[in-house]
Amino acid sequence: MKTLLKNAILVNEESTIHSDLLIKNQRIEKIASSISTDQANHTINLNGLHLLPGLIDDQVHFRQPGYEHKATIETESKAALAGGITSYLEMPNTNPQTTTIDAWNQKYHTASKSSYANYGFMFGGTNDNLEVIQSLDFKKVPALKLFLGSSTGNMLVDNETVLRKIFRHTPIRIALHCEDESTIQQNLRKATNRFGSDIPIQMHPKIRSHEACLKSTKMAISLAKETGAKIHIFHLSTREEVELFSNEIPLHEKQITSEVCLHHLWFSDEDYAKQGSFIKWNPAIKSVHDRNALWNALIDNRIDVLATDHAPHTTIEKSQSYLNCPSGGPLVQHMLPGLLTCVQQGSLTLEKLVRKAAHNPAILFDISNRGFLREGYYADLVVVDLNQTWTVKAKDLLYKCQWSPFLGETFIGRVTHTFLNGQLVYSDGIVSENKVAQALTFDRI
């Protein structure tokens, strides 16, 4: 089966060109300025729409197993395809936690039956599973995930001796949630003494503070330099942290890398008054100054990856008081439209968006034959209309939790088609029921 995409504007590897692209079965067979329709069984004329590699989201929480009332691999991977995300790496803080080989294998089995997007599952480190980590097949695990600050699932790693051993003996990249737990607990006690159980949401960035983030991130970087570990700091949120990262080293040589998520680029602490706990994330959304610093670091390449930290909870859960409300929210359906809006507003170039959300995750996690528009690579593709203005409505949400922090938001730029492994899996607002997802593979010796 051959499908020809005619009259596209390809965005790939820092260039934007008018081109055709020919898909044969699962892969890109040919990219050229003009390809005859005689070479294809089926032709789609894109009429000048932009064609990007499918995004690779390196941080999602799809909640299965254990929290299927919030989300499932099936529902959230469908939402991902609608948002132009064709591959994802899912986090281990489920129930049971993905901290044993049996639990990790079970997730892959579940995804093989139910995922609509390509999948990989990070293995979780704890204070007491070092021997299991050392027995992993590192050709199959995308990365190790450690929580240095408490979050949903309570997988806190706070034993420094164990942490040092994990850093020293893990050959693949270690993804880190960096917040200092002792600082958080001290700040929480102060807030509780002041407000009792009725802590206002505006205290969240003061409880999960700049100091908590900076102290933990500094410690992780110092330990990585001492041990030679390759680390990737998830969801930066402060202006102080970005100063710790370099933009002078080529990505493939970087031992220490970082990520920013859409919500930390979009919202600020000024939005708590309107959004309340529905924008409660860990790490917390902080000030406009922090947001500006994150943008600057993204543009000048101190920050390497754009991601979602998609972490749905139900509206009932998110409507609870501060102490009982979980952190996180759904984002995979709306990260790309949000970023396209930023492109249209001049905050970001389309080439840099593609670099940070497709190319760089593929490089950092050694993902085989994905993340680029290259002949021979899998045809994971997303078509976007940069000029389409639309408003996020409840009826269009594909998240199982059925809410979004972007409800009512007007975006400029929309996903029109998504291709996965050569197949058209999303168009006209509909996700195909034809599952063609694959487990991600990794180029490691």
Side-chain angles (χ1 to χ4, degrees), residues 92-145:
N93 52 333
T94 47
N95 186 18
Q97 297 168 347
T98 319
T99 55
T100 67
I101 292 174
D102 284 346
W104 186 83
N105 284 335
Q106 184 56 49
K107 270 195 178 178
Y108 268 89
H109 176 73
T110 300
S112 71
K113 302 295 183 183
S114 63
S115 185
Y116 281 77
N118 301 321
Y119 50 90
F121 295 97
M122 291 193 186
F123 194 86
T126 69
N127 284 325
D128 55 10
N129 73 338
L130 178 60
E131 289 185 5
V132 181
I133 293 169
Q134 292 174 327
S135 72
L136 293 174
D137 183 346
F138 293 113
K139 294 179 182 178
K140 296 181 179 179
V141 179
L144 185 71
K145 172 65 184 291

Side-chain angles (χ1 to χ4, degrees), residues 24-25 34 41 90 107 110 134 139 154 170 190 195 197 200 206 220 226 228 319 325 340 360 423 431-432:
K24 180 180 179 182
N25 297 326
S34 182
N41 307 96
E90 207 265 349
K107 270 195 178 178
T110 300
Q134 292 174 327
K139 294 179 182 178
N154 192 22
T170 302
K190 290 179 181 177
F195 296 102
S197 61
K206 295 178 174 61
E226 173 193 329
S319 299
C325 170
L340 292 175
N360 286 2
Q423 298 291 311
V431 177
S432 169

Side-chain angles (χ1 to χ4, degrees), residues 61 63 67-72 75-76 79 278 310-318 328-331 333 394 397-405 407:
H61 302 261
R63 302 303 190 200
Y67 305 103
E68 288 87 348
H69 68 286
K70 304 175 192 276
T72 66
T75 59
E76 309 313 284
F278 285 88
H310 174 89
H313 301 281
T314 67
T315 53
I316 292 174
E317 291 168 332
K318 292 295 285 185
L331 283 171
Q333 193 176 346
L397 299 179
L398 297 182
Y399 311 126
K400 186 169 185 178
C401 66
Q402 282 296 292
W403 68 273
S404 166
L407 269 177

Side-chain angles (χ1 to χ4, degrees), residues 56-349:
I56 300 172
D57 193 344
D58 75 352
Q59 189 188 181
V60 304
H61 302 261
F62 283 178
R63 302 303 190 200
Q64 189 175 2
Y67 305 103
E68 288 87 348
H69 68 286
K70 304 175 192 276
T72 66
I73 289 171
E74 178 177 332
T75 59
E76 309 313 284
S77 62
K78 279 186 172 183
L81 290 182
I85 294 168
T86 52
S87 300
Y88 62 85
L89 301 180
E90 207 265 349
M91 298 299 104
N93 52 333
T94 47
N95 186 18
Q97 297 168 347
T98 319
T99 55
T100 67
I101 292 174
D102 284 346
W104 186 83
N105 284 335
Q106 184 56 49
K107 270 195 178 178
Y108 268 89
H109 176 73
T110 300
S112 71
K113 302 295 183 183
S114 63
S115 185
Y116 281 77
N118 301 321
Y119 50 90
F121 295 97
M122 291 193 186
F123 194 86
T126 69
N127 284 325
D128 55 10
N129 73 338
L130 178 60
E131 289 185 5
V132 181
I133 293 169
Q134 292 174 327
S135 72
L136 293 174
D137 183 346
F138 293 113
K139 294 179 182 178
K140 296 181 179 179
V141 179
L144 185 71
K145 172 65 184 291
L146 301 179
F147 289 86
L148 306 189
S150 61
S151 194
T152 303
N154 192 22
M155 289 181 59
L156 178 66
V157 179
D158 57 1
N159 184 319
E160 191 169 328
T161 300
V162 171
L163 190 61
R164 181 172 273 101
K165 288 180 179 178
I166 291 174
F167 270 47
R168 197 176 297 280
H169 297 291
T170 302
I172 59 174
R173 200 164 292 272
I174 303 171
L176 298 166
H177 178 135
C178 286
E179 292 182 283
D180 181 68
E181 188 64 19
S182 61
T183 302
I184 293 170
Q185 291 305 317
Q186 182 180 1
N187 292 338
L188 182 59
R189 285 192 294 272
K190 290 179 181 177
T192 303
N193 289 338
R194 179 181 176 186
F195 296 102
S197 61
D198 192 22
I199 298 173
I201 186 63
Q202 285 82 357
M203 289 298 297
H204 190 52
K206 295 178 174 61
I207 293 169
R208 302 191 78 109
S209 63
H210 288 75
E211 293 76 16
C213 295
L214 183 62
K215 183 177 181 180
S216 183
T217 299
K218 275 186 171 180
M219 182 274 293
I221 290 173
S222 176
L223 191 57
K225 290 178 178 178
E226 173 193 329
T227 61
K230 292 187 291 186
I231 64 170
H232 182 60
I233 310 293
F234 275 157
H235 42 46
L236 295 185
S237 64
T238 73
R239 56 191 179 275
E240 293 90 350
E241 286 173 287
V242 299
E243 300 302 327
L244 304 175
F245 296 87
S246 172
N247 59 1
E248 298 177 354
I249 305 170
L251 183 69
H252 66 277
E253 296 179 9
K254 279 190 177 184
Q255 293 288 103
I256 298 167
T257 57
S258 64
E259 169 203 282
V260 68
C261 296
L262 176 63
H263 48 284
H264 289 119
L265 294 172
W266 193 278
F267 300 108
S268 76
D269 56 5
E270 296 175 1
D271 295 302
Y272 285 116
K274 178 181 177 182
Q275 296 271 15
S277 59
F278 285 88
I279 58 166
K280 183 187 180 190
W281 267 277
N282 299 336
I285 289 165
K286 298 182 174 70
S287 72
V288 171
H289 297 297
D290 293 300
R291 182 176 65 188
N292 292 341
L294 293 169
W295 270 112
N296 290 337
L298 177 70
I299 300 307
D300 73 15
N301 298 324
R302 284 172 291 161
I303 293 178
D304 305 290
V305 171
L306 281 162
T308 65
D309 191 16
H310 174 89
H313 301 281
T314 67
T315 53
I316 292 174
E317 291 168 332
K318 292 295 285 185
S319 299
Q320 295 181 94
S321 64
Y322 177 80
L323 291 173
N324 297 308
C325 170
S327 294
L331 283 171
V332 290
Q333 193 176 346
H334 298 105
M335 179 177 77
L336 180 52
L339 292 173
L340 292 175
T341 302
C342 295
V343 168
Q344 295 295 71
Q345 294 171 343
S347 302
L348 180 70
T349 67

